[in-house]
Amino acid sequence: MRRRLLLAAALCLALVTAGCGSELSVDEYPTVRGTEVNCKGLFADRPLKVAGQKNRMVKGENASAWGDPAIILRCGVEKPEDLGPASRCDMVDDVGWFSESTSDGYLFTTIGRDYYVSVEVPDDYAPEADALADLADSIARHDPVKKPCV
């Protein structure tokens, strides 16, 4: 009996340790004041899979992630420095995006909505627009469009 208890305890410890190790740490970022409620709604309504990748546990409440390397969704971010009136706007499932190339993929930020949402998509998930298509419905529900791309 004692052996079974020790085995059960060891198994529980292994499962707890494995669960803790899978939690992703995402860099903190300044959220725009007044977006907290909408962002909590967006994170709660996130899809289970993005670009075929399963949802990952994230430390804190300021981001959602899928896959490894991680596709990272942030909400209530600051306006990108390079975003201006003449910036290109790419539509993916009725959501407009400003795109910036990064060292290992792309950073996309919504355009024309109540607040900014960004999505980091590593090159591993090309075409990167697949991730944006998977997130479009949730973003549209929680971040209303003010001025669509033309």
Side-chain angles (χ1 to χ4, degrees):
M1 179 67 154
R2 181 183 164 129
R3 185 172 183 203
R4 283 188 198 161
L5 287 174
L6 287 174
L7 184 58
L11 180 59
C12 286
L13 181 60
L15 289 173
V16 168
T17 305
C20 291
S22 65
E23 200 171 55
L24 179 67
S25 185
V26 175
D27 294 338
E28 291 292 320
Y29 62 94
T31 54
V32 174
R33 194 177 181 99
T35 62
E36 299 85 358
V37 171
N38 291 36
C39 290
K40 283 183 182 185
L42 173 59
F43 292 141
D45 191 28
R46 69 188 180 273
L48 296 176
K49 286 188 171 186
V50 170
Q53 303 300 305
K54 291 181 183 176
N55 188 42
R56 291 184 64 178
M57 295 292 294
V58 175
K59 288 183 183 179
E61 299 178 2
N62 68 343
S64 288
W66 298 263
D68 187 12
I71 297 167
I72 300 173
L73 170 74
R74 291 183 174 93
C75 182
V77 298
E78 297 286 334
K79 177 183 175 183
E81 284 184 30
D82 294 335
L83 177 60
S87 295
R88 180 175 153 179
C89 180
D90 296 309
M91 292 296 289
V92 178
D93 289 354
D94 296 325
V95 176
W97 297 94
F98 172 67
S99 61
E100 300 173 272
S101 191
T102 65
S103 61
D104 63 347
Y106 285 90
L107 174 64
F108 300 96
T109 307
T110 57
I111 298 177
R113 298 197 165 261
D114 278 351
Y115 51 90
Y116 296 101
V117 173
S118 70
V119 180
E120 285 181 47
V121 185
D123 284 331
D124 294 37
Y125 304 110
E128 290 82 358
D130 288 352
L132 303 181
D134 291 341
L135 292 164
D137 285 343
S138 295
I139 290 170
R141 277 192 297 275
H142 297 279
D143 189 6
V145 67
K146 287 179 7 184
K147 183 180 177 189
C149 292
V150 286

